[in-house]
Amino acid sequence: MTRVAAVDCGTNSIRLLVADCDPATGELVELDRRMTIVRLGQGVDRTGRLAPEALERTFAACREYAEVIKELGAERVRFVATSASRDAENREDFVRGVVGILGVEPEVISGDQEAEFSFTGATRELTGRPELRRPFLVVDIGGGSTEFVVGDDHVRAARSVDIGCVRMTERHLVRDGVVSDPPTEEQVAAVRADIEAALDLAERTVPLREAHTLVGLAGSVTTVSAIAQELPEYDSAAIHHSRVSHDRVREITEWLLRSTHAERAAVPSMHPGRVDVIASGALVLLAIMERIGAEEVVVSEHDILDGIAWSVA
């Protein structure tokens, strides 16, 4: 076993996994897994820069994670940064801050690399499930981008497109600095049009409709599953490998789009940092299911973070 630490810093959240990995047997023993909403991508789509307050929130989370990594004695650490830090003009400020706190340089990976890690993390434990037909389509709906990966044991094709839940919300659902509560029909139509255009783009290189099993990753998908199950609180064990039908995803998405901030915040399984962006994320999931004719989505709590951990081991 090799004890490793993986950090995934995305547009909306930063996450840590410390685990013991055995590449020979494929066993991964989780020691600590945590997530902090830092909204690193705040305003990046509009300004092209990482906001000072967003950087400070991210660095505060890094300081907390550094303590955990030290306490658990991880031998190797890998820090991967995704969409927001790829796009920002001042990403060197971000890099310097992370190196100063964790002692490792964040790797600003490409969308294709991001997709590869997501696929490995999500499917490594599904390959022995005969009821889940291959190929898999793994969809990772992040804050700034969504990754599409089709593959069997290995990736066949991958594409990253800019339709994350934060990006769609900031681009279309904000008026005068405030998220519409609820959004207008015109705003929802604008989000939908952006998503459909991005799906057209993804289909140029990824055969989305050839997949037999849709696997959904990240907070938007796991939150939809928690709502579908009417969980009294967020429960990773109940969410992991749950299945949500297309009809249920549509019902939940329609409710999220007509609900108020207070109504969404009252959902017991809803993370406070997702209240304003969950409707856009659910709409991305629904559009994907409609595009490929998926009857259900298999929800995975194992994703890019697990893929990063395996790459270190």
PDB file of all heavy atoms in Angstrom, residues 224-257:
ATOM      1  N   VAL A 224     -28.658  15.943  -7.085  1.00  0.00           N
ATOM      2  CA  VAL A 224     -29.905  15.490  -7.703  1.00  0.00           C
ATOM      3  C   VAL A 224     -30.290  14.117  -7.146  1.00  0.00           C
ATOM      4  O   VAL A 224     -31.461  13.859  -6.841  1.00  0.00           O
ATOM      5  CB  VAL A 224     -29.768  15.436  -9.240  1.00  0.00           C
ATOM      6  CG1 VAL A 224     -30.926  14.658  -9.861  1.00  0.00           C
ATOM      7  CG2 VAL A 224     -29.731  16.845  -9.816  1.00  0.00           C
ATOM      8  N   SER A 225     -29.323  13.228  -6.987  1.00  0.00           N
ATOM      9  CA  SER A 225     -29.598  11.908  -6.415  1.00  0.00           C
ATOM     10  C   SER A 225     -30.110  12.026  -4.981  1.00  0.00           C
ATOM     11  O   SER A 225     -31.065  11.339  -4.591  1.00  0.00           O
ATOM     12  CB  SER A 225     -28.343  11.036  -6.439  1.00  0.00           C
ATOM     13  OG  SER A 225     -28.556   9.814  -5.759  1.00  0.00           O
ATOM     14  N   ALA A 226     -29.484  12.878  -4.184  1.00  0.00           N
ATOM     15  CA  ALA A 226     -29.920  13.064  -2.794  1.00  0.00           C
ATOM     16  C   ALA A 226     -31.356  13.576  -2.731  1.00  0.00           C
ATOM     17  O   ALA A 226     -32.151  13.131  -1.898  1.00  0.00           O
ATOM     18  CB  ALA A 226     -28.973  14.043  -2.090  1.00  0.00           C
ATOM     19  N   ILE A 227     -31.694  14.501  -3.628  1.00  0.00           N
ATOM     20  CA  ILE A 227     -33.066  15.019  -3.677  1.00  0.00           C
ATOM     21  C   ILE A 227     -34.030  13.921  -4.118  1.00  0.00           C
ATOM     22  O   ILE A 227     -35.120  13.766  -3.554  1.00  0.00           O
ATOM     23  CB  ILE A 227     -33.152  16.229  -4.629  1.00  0.00           C
ATOM     24  CG1 ILE A 227     -32.307  17.390  -4.098  1.00  0.00           C
ATOM     25  CG2 ILE A 227     -34.603  16.680  -4.804  1.00  0.00           C
ATOM     26  CD1 ILE A 227     -32.174  18.546  -5.084  1.00  0.00           C
ATOM     27  N   ALA A 228     -33.622  13.145  -5.127  1.00  0.00           N
ATOM     28  CA  ALA A 228     -34.483  12.064  -5.631  1.00  0.00           C
ATOM     29  C   ALA A 228     -34.801  11.044  -4.540  1.00  0.00           C
ATOM     30  O   ALA A 228     -35.919  10.516  -4.470  1.00  0.00           O
ATOM     31  CB  ALA A 228     -33.802  11.373  -6.810  1.00  0.00           C
ATOM     32  N   GLN A 229     -33.826  10.795  -3.664  1.00  0.00           N
ATOM     33  CA  GLN A 229     -34.015   9.822  -2.583  1.00  0.00           C
ATOM     34  C   GLN A 229     -34.649  10.444  -1.345  1.00  0.00           C
ATOM     35  O   GLN A 229     -34.924   9.738  -0.365  1.00  0.00           O
ATOM     36  CB  GLN A 229     -32.676   9.191  -2.203  1.00  0.00           C
ATOM     37  CG  GLN A 229     -32.018   8.393  -3.312  1.00  0.00           C
ATOM     38  CD  GLN A 229     -30.703   7.786  -2.854  1.00  0.00           C
ATOM     39  OE1 GLN A 229     -30.674   6.910  -1.985  1.00  0.00           O
ATOM     40  NE2 GLN A 229     -29.591   8.251  -3.428  1.00  0.00           N
ATOM     41  N   GLU A 230     -34.835  11.770  -1.375  1.00  0.00           N
ATOM     42  CA  GLU A 230     -35.407  12.501  -0.234  1.00  0.00           C
ATOM     43  C   GLU A 230     -34.629  12.216   1.046  1.00  0.00           C
ATOM     44  O   GLU A 230     -35.189  11.966   2.109  1.00  0.00           O
ATOM     45  CB  GLU A 230     -36.893  12.165  -0.058  1.00  0.00           C
ATOM     46  CG  GLU A 230     -37.731  12.529  -1.278  1.00  0.00           C
ATOM     47  CD  GLU A 230     -39.210  12.213  -1.106  1.00  0.00           C
ATOM     48  OE1 GLU A 230     -39.590  11.684  -0.033  1.00  0.00           O
ATOM     49  OE2 GLU A 230     -39.986  12.504  -2.029  1.00  0.00           O
ATOM     50  N   LEU A 231     -33.296  12.276   0.929  1.00  0.00           N
ATOM     51  CA  LEU A 231     -32.438  11.984   2.078  1.00  0.00           C
ATOM     52  C   LEU A 231     -32.566  13.073   3.141  1.00  0.00           C
ATOM     53  O   LEU A 231     -32.628  14.263   2.825  1.00  0.00           O
ATOM     54  CB  LEU A 231     -30.979  11.878   1.623  1.00  0.00           C
ATOM     55  CG  LEU A 231     -30.637  10.754   0.642  1.00  0.00           C
ATOM     56  CD1 LEU A 231     -29.167  10.812   0.266  1.00  0.00           C
ATOM     57  CD2 LEU A 231     -30.985   9.389   1.238  1.00  0.00           C
ATOM     58  N   PRO A 232     -32.575  12.690   4.413  1.00  0.00           N
ATOM     59  CA  PRO A 232     -32.669  13.685   5.482  1.00  0.00           C
ATOM     60  C   PRO A 232     -31.393  14.503   5.658  1.00  0.00           C
ATOM     61  O   PRO A 232     -31.395  15.544   6.308  1.00  0.00           O
ATOM     62  CB  PRO A 232     -32.952  12.841   6.729  1.00  0.00           C
ATOM     63  CG  PRO A 232     -32.392  11.490   6.401  1.00  0.00           C
ATOM     64  CD  PRO A 232     -32.605  11.315   4.934  1.00  0.00           C
ATOM     65  N   GLU A 233     -30.295  14.013   5.089  1.00  0.00           N
ATOM     66  CA  GLU A 233     -29.025  14.724   5.068  1.00  0.00           C
ATOM     67  C   GLU A 233     -28.181  14.109   3.954  1.00  0.00           C
ATOM     68  O   GLU A 233     -28.522  13.034   3.427  1.00  0.00           O
ATOM     69  CB  GLU A 233     -28.286  14.616   6.401  1.00  0.00           C
ATOM     70  CG  GLU A 233     -27.962  13.207   6.792  1.00  0.00           C
ATOM     71  CD  GLU A 233     -27.320  13.094   8.162  1.00  0.00           C
ATOM     72  OE1 GLU A 233     -27.225  14.114   8.869  1.00  0.00           O
ATOM     73  OE2 GLU A 233     -26.909  11.981   8.519  1.00  0.00           O
ATOM     74  N   TYR A 234     -27.114  14.803   3.580  1.00  0.00           N
ATOM     75  CA  TYR A 234     -26.262  14.266   2.516  1.00  0.00           C
ATOM     76  C   TYR A 234     -25.594  12.988   3.016  1.00  0.00           C
ATOM     77  O   TYR A 234     -24.953  12.977   4.062  1.00  0.00           O
ATOM     78  CB  TYR A 234     -25.201  15.292   2.110  1.00  0.00           C
ATOM     79  CG  TYR A 234     -24.497  14.931   0.828  1.00  0.00           C
ATOM     80  CD1 TYR A 234     -24.957  15.404  -0.400  1.00  0.00           C
ATOM     81  CD2 TYR A 234     -23.378  14.094   0.827  1.00  0.00           C
ATOM     82  CE1 TYR A 234     -24.326  15.058  -1.584  1.00  0.00           C
ATOM     83  CE2 TYR A 234     -22.749  13.741  -0.345  1.00  0.00           C
ATOM     84  CZ  TYR A 234     -23.219  14.226  -1.554  1.00  0.00           C
ATOM     85  OH  TYR A 234     -22.605  13.872  -2.718  1.00  0.00           O
ATOM     86  N   ASP A 235     -25.763  11.894   2.272  1.00  0.00           N
ATOM     87  CA  ASP A 235     -25.269  10.577   2.679  1.00  0.00           C
ATOM     88  C   ASP A 235     -24.525   9.958   1.492  1.00  0.00           C
ATOM     89  O   ASP A 235     -25.137   9.427   0.564  1.00  0.00           O
ATOM     90  CB  ASP A 235     -26.444   9.704   3.101  1.00  0.00           C
ATOM     91  CG  ASP A 235     -26.024   8.324   3.592  1.00  0.00           C
ATOM     92  OD1 ASP A 235     -24.855   7.939   3.385  1.00  0.00           O
ATOM     93  OD2 ASP A 235     -26.864   7.620   4.176  1.00  0.00           O
ATOM     94  N   SER A 236     -23.199  10.010   1.528  1.00  0.00           N
ATOM     95  CA  SER A 236     -22.390   9.505   0.419  1.00  0.00           C
ATOM     96  C   SER A 236     -22.655   8.042   0.128  1.00  0.00           C
ATOM     97  O   SER A 236     -22.699   7.628  -1.042  1.00  0.00           O
ATOM     98  CB  SER A 236     -20.907   9.703   0.712  1.00  0.00           C
ATOM     99  OG  SER A 236     -20.576  11.065   0.764  1.00  0.00           O
ATOM    100  N   ALA A 237     -22.825   7.228   1.175  1.00  0.00           N
ATOM    101  CA  ALA A 237     -23.043   5.797   0.980  1.00  0.00           C
ATOM    102  C   ALA A 237     -24.338   5.528   0.234  1.00  0.00           C
ATOM    103  O   ALA A 237     -24.414   4.640  -0.619  1.00  0.00           O
ATOM    104  CB  ALA A 237     -23.043   5.078   2.326  1.00  0.00           C
ATOM    105  N   ALA A 238     -25.390   6.295   0.542  1.00  0.00           N
ATOM    106  CA  ALA A 238     -26.676   6.119  -0.137  1.00  0.00           C
ATOM    107  C   ALA A 238     -26.626   6.631  -1.569  1.00  0.00           C
ATOM    108  O   ALA A 238     -27.327   6.119  -2.448  1.00  0.00           O
ATOM    109  CB  ALA A 238     -27.775   6.841   0.639  1.00  0.00           C
ATOM    110  N   ILE A 239     -25.809   7.629  -1.813  1.00  0.00           N
ATOM    111  CA  ILE A 239     -25.730   8.251  -3.136  1.00  0.00           C
ATOM    112  C   ILE A 239     -24.855   7.433  -4.090  1.00  0.00           C
ATOM    113  O   ILE A 239     -25.183   7.286  -5.268  1.00  0.00           O
ATOM    114  CB  ILE A 239     -25.198   9.691  -3.001  1.00  0.00           C
ATOM    115  CG1 ILE A 239     -26.244  10.560  -2.304  1.00  0.00           C
ATOM    116  CG2 ILE A 239     -24.814  10.279  -4.357  1.00  0.00           C
ATOM    117  CD1 ILE A 239     -25.731  11.906  -1.841  1.00  0.00           C
ATOM    118  N   HIS A 240     -23.756   6.889  -3.572  1.00  0.00           N
ATOM    119  CA  HIS A 240     -22.797   6.182  -4.420  1.00  0.00           C
ATOM    120  C   HIS A 240     -23.444   4.981  -5.092  1.00  0.00           C
ATOM    121  O   HIS A 240     -23.992   4.093  -4.439  1.00  0.00           O
ATOM    122  CB  HIS A 240     -21.592   5.750  -3.584  1.00  0.00           C
ATOM    123  CG  HIS A 240     -20.458   5.193  -4.382  1.00  0.00           C
ATOM    124  ND1 HIS A 240     -19.958   5.806  -5.502  1.00  0.00           N
ATOM    125  CD2 HIS A 240     -19.711   4.052  -4.217  1.00  0.00           C
ATOM    126  CE1 HIS A 240     -18.961   5.091  -5.996  1.00  0.00           C
ATOM    127  NE2 HIS A 240     -18.805   4.027  -5.237  1.00  0.00           N
ATOM    128  N   HIS A 241     -23.415   4.954  -6.415  1.00  0.00           N
ATOM    129  CA  HIS A 241     -23.982   3.906  -7.262  1.00  0.00           C
ATOM    130  C   HIS A 241     -25.517   3.846  -7.208  1.00  0.00           C
ATOM    131  O   HIS A 241     -26.113   2.833  -7.597  1.00  0.00           O
ATOM    132  CB  HIS A 241     -23.382   2.538  -6.947  1.00  0.00           C
ATOM    133  CG  HIS A 241     -21.946   2.438  -7.367  1.00  0.00           C
ATOM    134  ND1 HIS A 241     -21.139   1.372  -7.072  1.00  0.00           N
ATOM    135  CD2 HIS A 241     -21.155   3.298  -8.077  1.00  0.00           C
ATOM    136  CE1 HIS A 241     -19.919   1.572  -7.572  1.00  0.00           C
ATOM    137  NE2 HIS A 241     -19.916   2.733  -8.185  1.00  0.00           N
ATOM    138  N   SER A 242     -26.145   4.917  -6.729  1.00  0.00           N
ATOM    139  CA  SER A 242     -27.602   5.018  -6.862  1.00  0.00           C
ATOM    140  C   SER A 242     -27.940   5.257  -8.331  1.00  0.00           C
ATOM    141  O   SER A 242     -27.083   5.646  -9.128  1.00  0.00           O
ATOM    142  CB  SER A 242     -28.142   6.172  -6.011  1.00  0.00           C
ATOM    143  OG  SER A 242     -27.583   7.411  -6.432  1.00  0.00           O
ATOM    144  N   ARG A 243     -29.193   5.020  -8.684  1.00  0.00           N
ATOM    145  CA  ARG A 243     -29.650   5.222 -10.062  1.00  0.00           C
ATOM    146  C   ARG A 243     -30.866   6.140 -10.044  1.00  0.00           C
ATOM    147  O   ARG A 243     -31.792   5.915  -9.255  1.00  0.00           O
ATOM    148  CB  ARG A 243     -30.001   3.891 -10.729  1.00  0.00           C
ATOM    149  CG  ARG A 243     -28.849   2.893 -10.740  1.00  0.00           C
ATOM    150  CD  ARG A 243     -29.210   1.665 -11.556  1.00  0.00           C
ATOM    151  NE  ARG A 243     -28.234   0.593 -11.378  1.00  0.00           N
ATOM    152  CZ  ARG A 243     -28.227  -0.525 -12.090  1.00  0.00           C
ATOM    153  NH1 ARG A 243     -29.146  -0.728 -13.013  1.00  0.00           N
ATOM    154  NH2 ARG A 243     -27.305  -1.448 -11.883  1.00  0.00           N
ATOM    155  N   VAL A 244     -30.832   7.126 -10.914  1.00  0.00           N
ATOM    156  CA  VAL A 244     -31.933   8.084 -10.986  1.00  0.00           C
ATOM    157  C   VAL A 244     -32.489   8.058 -12.398  1.00  0.00           C
ATOM    158  O   VAL A 244     -31.738   8.198 -13.370  1.00  0.00           O
ATOM    159  CB  VAL A 244     -31.471   9.509 -10.621  1.00  0.00           C
ATOM    160  CG1 VAL A 244     -32.680  10.446 -10.509  1.00  0.00           C
ATOM    161  CG2 VAL A 244     -30.684   9.516  -9.308  1.00  0.00           C
ATOM    162  N   SER A 245     -33.809   7.880 -12.502  1.00  0.00           N
ATOM    163  CA  SER A 245     -34.428   7.779 -13.812  1.00  0.00           C
ATOM    164  C   SER A 245     -34.482   9.135 -14.513  1.00  0.00           C
ATOM    165  O   SER A 245     -34.431  10.194 -13.873  1.00  0.00           O
ATOM    166  CB  SER A 245     -35.847   7.232 -13.679  1.00  0.00           C
ATOM    167  OG  SER A 245     -36.700   8.201 -13.078  1.00  0.00           O
ATOM    168  N   HIS A 246     -34.636   9.076 -15.834  1.00  0.00           N
ATOM    169  CA  HIS A 246     -34.770  10.307 -16.623  1.00  0.00           C
ATOM    170  C   HIS A 246     -35.980  11.116 -16.157  1.00  0.00           C
ATOM    171  O   HIS A 246     -35.897  12.339 -16.006  1.00  0.00           O
ATOM    172  CB  HIS A 246     -34.917   9.966 -18.106  1.00  0.00           C
ATOM    173  CG  HIS A 246     -35.377  11.112 -18.935  1.00  0.00           C
ATOM    174  ND1 HIS A 246     -36.699  11.293 -19.290  1.00  0.00           N
ATOM    175  CD2 HIS A 246     -34.700  12.167 -19.465  1.00  0.00           C
ATOM    176  CE1 HIS A 246     -36.812  12.406 -20.001  1.00  0.00           C
ATOM    177  NE2 HIS A 246     -35.622  12.945 -20.117  1.00  0.00           N
ATOM    178  N   ASP A 247     -37.102  10.445 -15.904  1.00  0.00           N
ATOM    179  CA  ASP A 247     -38.309  11.162 -15.475  1.00  0.00           C
ATOM    180  C   ASP A 247     -38.087  11.880 -14.145  1.00  0.00           C
ATOM    181  O   ASP A 247     -38.536  13.011 -13.952  1.00  0.00           O
ATOM    182  CB  ASP A 247     -39.486  10.197 -15.345  1.00  0.00           C
ATOM    183  CG  ASP A 247     -40.014   9.733 -16.694  1.00  0.00           C
ATOM    184  OD1 ASP A 247     -39.665  10.362 -17.721  1.00  0.00           O
ATOM    185  OD2 ASP A 247     -40.767   8.738 -16.731  1.00  0.00           O
ATOM    186  N   ARG A 248     -37.368  11.231 -13.232  1.00  0.00           N
ATOM    187  CA  ARG A 248     -37.120  11.852 -11.916  1.00  0.00           C
ATOM    188  C   ARG A 248     -36.166  13.028 -12.053  1.00  0.00           C
ATOM    189  O   ARG A 248     -36.347  14.062 -11.397  1.00  0.00           O
ATOM    190  CB  ARG A 248     -36.543  10.802 -10.965  1.00  0.00           C
ATOM    191  CG  ARG A 248     -36.540  11.243  -9.512  1.00  0.00           C
ATOM    192  CD  ARG A 248     -37.931  11.252  -8.935  1.00  0.00           C
ATOM    193  NE  ARG A 248     -37.891  11.595  -7.512  1.00  0.00           N
ATOM    194  CZ  ARG A 248     -38.276  12.781  -7.021  1.00  0.00           C
ATOM    195  NH1 ARG A 248     -38.731  13.723  -7.827  1.00  0.00           N
ATOM    196  NH2 ARG A 248     -38.206  13.006  -5.734  1.00  0.00           N
ATOM    197  N   VAL A 249     -35.150  12.895 -12.903  1.00  0.00           N
ATOM    198  CA  VAL A 249     -34.236  14.021 -13.140  1.00  0.00           C
ATOM    199  C   VAL A 249     -34.995  15.200 -13.729  1.00  0.00           C
ATOM    200  O   VAL A 249     -34.787  16.358 -13.330  1.00  0.00           O
ATOM    201  CB  VAL A 249     -33.081  13.604 -14.076  1.00  0.00           C
ATOM    202  CG1 VAL A 249     -32.256  14.823 -14.495  1.00  0.00           C
ATOM    203  CG2 VAL A 249     -32.179  12.575 -13.404  1.00  0.00           C
ATOM    204  N   ARG A 250     -35.907  14.928 -14.653  1.00  0.00           N
ATOM    205  CA  ARG A 250     -36.701  16.010 -15.252  1.00  0.00           C
ATOM    206  C   ARG A 250     -37.576  16.691 -14.204  1.00  0.00           C
ATOM    207  O   ARG A 250     -37.650  17.930 -14.147  1.00  0.00           O
ATOM    208  CB  ARG A 250     -37.564  15.454 -16.389  1.00  0.00           C
ATOM    209  CG  ARG A 250     -38.459  16.503 -17.049  1.00  0.00           C
ATOM    210  CD  ARG A 250     -39.201  15.948 -18.253  1.00  0.00           C
ATOM    211  NE  ARG A 250     -39.781  14.645 -17.990  1.00  0.00           N
ATOM    212  CZ  ARG A 250     -40.896  14.443 -17.271  1.00  0.00           C
ATOM    213  NH1 ARG A 250     -41.544  15.472 -16.757  1.00  0.00           N
ATOM    214  NH2 ARG A 250     -41.353  13.220 -17.084  1.00  0.00           N
ATOM    215  N   GLU A 251     -38.237  15.910 -13.353  1.00  0.00           N
ATOM    216  CA  GLU A 251     -39.091  16.482 -12.303  1.00  0.00           C
ATOM    217  C   GLU A 251     -38.284  17.382 -11.371  1.00  0.00           C
ATOM    218  O   GLU A 251     -38.711  18.492 -11.022  1.00  0.00           O
ATOM    219  CB  GLU A 251     -39.742  15.359 -11.488  1.00  0.00           C
ATOM    220  CG  GLU A 251     -40.792  14.565 -12.224  1.00  0.00           C
ATOM    221  CD  GLU A 251     -41.209  13.328 -11.434  1.00  0.00           C
ATOM    222  OE1 GLU A 251     -40.739  13.189 -10.285  1.00  0.00           O
ATOM    223  OE2 GLU A 251     -41.987  12.510 -11.965  1.00  0.00           O
ATOM    224  N   ILE A 252     -37.127  16.891 -10.949  1.00  0.00           N
ATOM    225  CA  ILE A 252     -36.292  17.651 -10.014  1.00  0.00           C
ATOM    226  C   ILE A 252     -35.773  18.921 -10.675  1.00  0.00           C
ATOM    227  O   ILE A 252     -35.775  20.004 -10.068  1.00  0.00           O
ATOM    228  CB  ILE A 252     -35.127  16.770  -9.513  1.00  0.00           C
ATOM    229  CG1 ILE A 252     -35.671  15.660  -8.609  1.00  0.00           C
ATOM    230  CG2 ILE A 252     -34.079  17.610  -8.773  1.00  0.00           C
ATOM    231  CD1 ILE A 252     -34.664  14.572  -8.304  1.00  0.00           C
ATOM    232  N   THR A 253     -35.327  18.824 -11.918  1.00  0.00           N
ATOM    233  CA  THR A 253     -34.808  19.996 -12.636  1.00  0.00           C
ATOM    234  C   THR A 253     -35.889  21.049 -12.791  1.00  0.00           C
ATOM    235  O   THR A 253     -35.647  22.244 -12.558  1.00  0.00           O
ATOM    236  CB  THR A 253     -34.267  19.593 -14.020  1.00  0.00           C
ATOM    237  OG1 THR A 253     -33.255  18.599 -13.851  1.00  0.00           O
ATOM    238  CG2 THR A 253     -33.688  20.797 -14.746  1.00  0.00           C
ATOM    239  N   GLU A 254     -37.092  20.638 -13.157  1.00  0.00           N
ATOM    240  CA  GLU A 254     -38.192  21.597 -13.321  1.00  0.00           C
ATOM    241  C   GLU A 254     -38.523  22.279 -12.004  1.00  0.00           C
ATOM    242  O   GLU A 254     -38.777  23.496 -11.970  1.00  0.00           O
ATOM    243  CB  GLU A 254     -39.422  20.883 -13.885  1.00  0.00           C
ATOM    244  CG  GLU A 254     -39.255  20.459 -15.345  1.00  0.00           C
ATOM    245  CD  GLU A 254     -40.419  19.635 -15.858  1.00  0.00           C
ATOM    246  OE1 GLU A 254     -41.298  19.259 -15.040  1.00  0.00           O
ATOM    247  OE2 GLU A 254     -40.454  19.365 -17.079  1.00  0.00           O
ATOM    248  N   TRP A 255     -38.476  21.506 -10.910  1.00  0.00           N
ATOM    249  CA  TRP A 255     -38.732  22.125  -9.604  1.00  0.00           C
ATOM    250  C   TRP A 255     -37.626  23.116  -9.233  1.00  0.00           C
ATOM    251  O   TRP A 255     -37.907  24.224  -8.754  1.00  0.00           O
ATOM    252  CB  TRP A 255     -38.847  21.055  -8.509  1.00  0.00           C
ATOM    253  CG  TRP A 255     -39.055  21.679  -7.160  1.00  0.00           C
ATOM    254  CD1 TRP A 255     -40.220  22.187  -6.660  1.00  0.00           C
ATOM    255  CD2 TRP A 255     -38.049  21.937  -6.162  1.00  0.00           C
ATOM    256  NE1 TRP A 255     -40.005  22.736  -5.422  1.00  0.00           N
ATOM    257  CE2 TRP A 255     -38.693  22.592  -5.093  1.00  0.00           C
ATOM    258  CE3 TRP A 255     -36.689  21.673  -6.087  1.00  0.00           C
ATOM    259  CZ2 TRP A 255     -37.999  22.982  -3.946  1.00  0.00           C
ATOM    260  CZ3 TRP A 255     -35.998  22.063  -4.949  1.00  0.00           C
ATOM    261  CH2 TRP A 255     -36.651  22.705  -3.889  1.00  0.00           C
ATOM    262  N   LEU A 256     -36.376  22.732  -9.446  1.00  0.00           N
ATOM    263  CA  LEU A 256     -35.255  23.620  -9.121  1.00  0.00           C
ATOM    264  C   LEU A 256     -35.344  24.935  -9.905  1.00  0.00           C
ATOM    265  O   LEU A 256     -35.039  26.009  -9.375  1.00  0.00           O
ATOM    266  CB  LEU A 256     -33.923  22.925  -9.417  1.00  0.00           C
ATOM    267  CG  LEU A 256     -33.535  21.772  -8.483  1.00  0.00           C
ATOM    268  CD1 LEU A 256     -32.355  21.004  -9.059  1.00  0.00           C
ATOM    269  CD2 LEU A 256     -33.226  22.286  -7.081  1.00  0.00           C
ATOM    270  N   LEU A 257     -35.778  24.868 -11.156  1.00  0.00           N
ATOM    271  CA  LEU A 257     -35.839  26.061 -12.006  1.00  0.00           C
ATOM    272  C   LEU A 257     -36.985  26.996 -11.638  1.00  0.00           C
ATOM    273  O   LEU A 257     -36.941  28.188 -11.972  1.00  0.00           O
ATOM    274  CB  LEU A 257     -35.961  25.649 -13.477  1.00  0.00           C
ATOM    275  CG  LEU A 257     -34.694  25.048 -14.097  1.00  0.00           C
ATOM    276  CD1 LEU A 257     -35.003  24.402 -15.435  1.00  0.00           C
ATOM    277  CD2 LEU A 257     -33.614  26.130 -14.255  1.00  0.00           C
TER     278      LEU A 257
END
